[in-house]
Amino acid sequence: MLRQWYILAIIVLIYLPVSIDATVLHVAIPTLNQELQLSNNQMLWVMDIYSLMMVGLILPMGALGERIGYKRLMLTGALIFGLSSLFAAFSTSANMLILARAVLAGGAAMIIPATLAGLRHAFPDEKKRNFALGLWVVAGGGGAAFGPLIGGILLEHYHWGSIFLINIPIIVCVMLTGYYILPSQQINRNKVINIADAVLLTCAILLMVYALKAGMKHFDFTVLLIGLTGLLMGAYFLRQQRRKAQPLIDLELFSYKPIKIGFLISIFTMVALVGFELLIAQELQYVHGYTPLQAGLFILPFMLAVSVSGIFSSVLINRFGVRKVSLIGLICCAIAFIGLAGTNFSTQQYQGWLWMILLGFWVEATFLASTSAIISASPVEKATAAGSIEGMSYELGTGFGVAIFGLLVSYFYSSKLKISAWMSTEHFELAKGSIGETIQTLSLLDPALSPAIREMANAAFLSAHQYVLYLSSVTLIILTIFVFLYWSDEKAESE
């Protein structure tokens, strides 16, 4: 009896660094830009390669666990996660860090399905299992929500590599205790893993995202060819899934209206959550001069609202249904973005916190409602496949949140930056991509010009941030109208 709680402790412990690493870098961008001289595109890859890689890798890992046993899957994933954390901590270039984050995603993709399988095996009693799953959700949501604060605390006192080194003691503890405490499971050597499909999906996503990022900076035939290749690979992947007896993604589930809409809402809410966190961390440090720790503390009301929402959202969903909660949540998020766009965080801190609390609470409530729609609408025999779709939507939203918000800010920032007359064409090309690149370029110019250029860069970034938030609000309003019209009947939840 006591052993199952030891197993739960191991599972929660290993899941924490996986969830923290999804957001811990948000407050580290200025530090990384300074230390590694990142371009805007490199910065975005460092941030979102973790989630984008997991989109394709996490799906076949459940099957791999059935084939080799979930204990072995978890310990292997922990080992990969630990070694790649070391590699990331001591990276000396942007490409090294991007590669390390990609390998981190491989380890994380093994750990997540292994932890869920471990809970299922360790807690046969439904009530105890629900309690254990609740703690698992708290570890995941809390880790992701408080990642920026943890990053800020570490960056305040230690080298930036410490945000990865904190994973090492956890990994060592899990591997030592897990080896002796985690039970062995029955294995199915005939289980199809679909690694080829996972690689195809991952390549399709990465090529499309690469083309999107490159095209925003310089569009040419090569970029177009890469983007079309990604689209064709994605189309071929979908065609293959329809034909296979054991597909990586069960596309038949998308015939259920709540699953289709829930998948869409889940992606958009995660884009909003991650994208906002990314932008506010940059604004606080670049424009308002906050340290990483101060930035993490300033965002704390947003993090707390996300965490608290998980407690109350289930009550709201049970009372009003997933459709109504989704609609209310989308509208509240749109209103919060409008409020945040008009807030000066230097002089209107309390107003900013109020809008952040509104956004944090309802973006998480909307995400949980969409998750409930996906899981509840799926047939019992396809619950695992529905869970894979939900996990995929989470990672897609996280990855695209960084990419979309980062690219939009870069576009609006470049269009608003009026410093070309203050420097040569060569220096302006280096400086115009992002506020981080502008600050890097200051070291190449006359120091007397720095204050004026910095002031114009701050103004351009604030304007870009405002445009992106307004655009996000309009997008969510359009999505709300679509959901209201297309998902108009509560009976759709049970279709």
Side-chain angles (χ1 to χ4, degrees):
M1 185 66 68
L2 189 60
R3 188 184 189 187
Q4 65 182 180
W5 300 108
Y6 288 142
I7 293 172
L8 176 60
I10 292 171
I11 287 172
V12 169
L13 191 62
I14 190 59
Y15 189 40
L16 271 174
V18 171
S19 58
I20 289 172
D21 269 44
T23 59
V24 71
L25 289 183
H26 286 182
V27 296
I29 294 171
T31 303
L32 291 174
N33 280 339
Q34 182 180 352
E35 294 289 334
L36 301 179
Q37 298 295 297
L38 302 179
S39 68
N40 187 59
N41 268 358
Q42 288 174 329
M43 181 270 289
L44 294 179
W45 278 117
V46 167
M47 298 293 296
D48 63 12
I49 190 67
Y50 184 78
S51 295
L52 292 176
M53 287 292 292
M54 285 180 67
V55 171
L57 294 177
I58 200 172
L59 295 172
M61 289 306 166
L64 179 61
E66 291 186 35
R67 187 159 182 171
I68 67 173
Y70 290 108
K71 175 181 179 178
R72 189 177 299 174
L73 183 68
M74 185 186 297
L75 295 180
T76 303
L79 178 62
I80 294 173
F81 198 87
L83 292 175
S84 53
S85 294
L86 279 174
F87 186 38
F90 295 103
S91 296
T92 56
S93 68
N95 290 336
M96 282 182 65
L97 185 55
I98 292 169
L99 177 60
R101 292 273 289 168
V103 181
L104 263 173
M110 292 181 175
I111 291 170
I112 291 175
T115 56
L116 286 170
L119 289 177
R120 188 176 60 200
H121 283 83
F123 293 90
D125 180 75
E126 185 178 358
K127 290 184 178 180
K128 289 183 178 179
R129 185 167 62 249
N130 288 337
F131 175 77
L133 282 170
L135 291 180
W136 184 86
V137 170
V138 169
F146 286 88
L149 180 59
I150 294 170
I153 293 171
L154 291 170
L155 290 170
E156 186 80 7
H157 302 288
Y158 306 104
H159 180 260
W160 65 266
S162 61
I163 59 183
F164 297 106
L165 290 178
I166 60 169
N167 296 336
I168 305 303
I170 297 175
I171 296 299
V172 172
C173 178
V174 165
M175 294 195 69
L176 289 176
T177 56
Y179 181 81
Y180 293 102
I181 294 176
L182 294 176
S184 298
Q185 297 89 32
Q186 291 182 339
I187 60 176
N188 179 7
R189 297 189 184 277
N190 298 320
K191 183 67 178 180
V192 177
I193 301 176
N194 279 333
I195 288 293
D197 287 353
V199 172
L200 181 64
L201 174 61
T202 304
C203 289
I205 292 171
L206 292 180
L207 287 174
M208 286 187 284
V209 172
Y210 177 86
L212 181 64
K213 292 178 179 179
M216 289 286 285
K217 191 169 186 179
H218 178 68
F219 185 80
D220 56 21
F221 178 75
T222 302
V223 172
L224 177 62
L225 184 61
I226 291 172
L228 287 175
T229 302
L231 285 172
L232 289 173
M233 291 175 71
Y236 179 72
F237 169 81
L238 294 176
R239 183 182 178 187
Q240 289 293 95
Q241 298 309 293
R242 291 191 179 96
R243 292 181 171 184
K244 290 192 173 182
Q246 297 186 51
L248 191 64
I249 301 175
D250 189 348
L251 296 180
E252 290 184 4
L253 285 171
F254 285 98
S255 62
Y256 296 89
K257 189 181 292 185
I259 293 179
K260 278 189 289 193
I261 298 179
F263 183 77
L264 187 65
I265 293 174
S266 179
I267 291 177
F268 272 87
T269 51
M270 287 309 301
V271 166
L273 191 154
V274 174
F276 168 73
E277 221 176 46
L278 175 68
L279 292 194
I280 189 65
Q282 289 186 74
E283 179 178 332
L284 292 173
Q285 293 179 80
Y286 280 132
V287 178
H288 303 296
Y290 282 46
T291 66
L293 176 57
Q294 289 171 335
L297 289 172
F298 190 92
I299 308 171
L300 186 59
F302 176 75
M303 304 172 194
L304 291 173
V306 170
S307 301
V308 169
S309 178
I311 302 172
F312 294 100
S313 295
S314 59
V315 177
L316 294 174
I317 292 170
N318 290 335
R319 175 67 177 84
F320 299 105
V322 293
R323 177 178 175 272
K324 288 182 180 178
V325 171
S326 297
L327 289 170
I328 294 171
L330 289 171
I331 286 294
C332 287
C333 289
I335 293 171
F337 275 136
I338 294 173
L340 288 164
T343 300
N344 184 324
F345 293 109
S346 290
T347 60
Q348 299 173 307
Q349 293 182 352
Y350 293 108
Q351 178 178 314
W353 288 334
L354 179 64
W355 291 122
M356 278 193 281
I357 290 171
L358 181 68
L359 176 65
F361 183 91
W362 282 107
V363 77
E364 180 69 6
T366 306
F367 174 74
L368 291 175
S370 66
T371 299
S372 178
I374 292 171
I375 301 301
S376 299
S378 65
V380 176
E381 66 274 12
K382 294 189 175 184
T384 302
S388 297
I389 288 175
E390 190 277 334
M392 183 180 177
S393 69
Y394 176 93
E395 299 300 340
L396 273 175
T398 301
F400 279 108
V402 171
I404 292 171
F405 271 65
L407 289 172
L408 286 174
V409 166
S410 177
Y411 172 77
F412 288 122
Y413 177 80
S414 298
S415 65
K416 293 292 181 180
L417 190 62
K418 308 299 182 184
I419 61 172
S420 57
W422 295 67
M423 57 182 66
S424 66
T425 303
E426 180 184 358
H427 287 156
F428 180 68
E429 288 298 316
L430 294 174
K432 71 177 184 178
S434 68
I435 190 171
E437 289 174 302
T438 303
I439 292 171
Q440 290 175 22
T441 309
L442 291 180
S443 62
L444 306 174
L445 306 174
D446 182 353
L449 299 176
S450 293
I453 293 176
R454 187 66 184 263
E455 184 176 347
M456 286 186 284
N458 289 347
F461 185 85
L462 287 173
S463 179
H465 192 173
Q466 190 175 56
Y467 274 115
V468 172
L469 292 180
Y470 282 135
L471 183 60
S472 300
S473 180
V474 171
T475 303
L476 290 179
I477 290 172
I478 293 173
L479 178 60
T480 304
I481 295 171
F482 171 79
V483 172
F484 178 78
L485 295 175
Y486 188 63
W487 196 13
S488 56
D489 190 351
E490 282 287 352
K491 293 180 181 179
E493 294 176 22
S494 58
E495 284 184 3

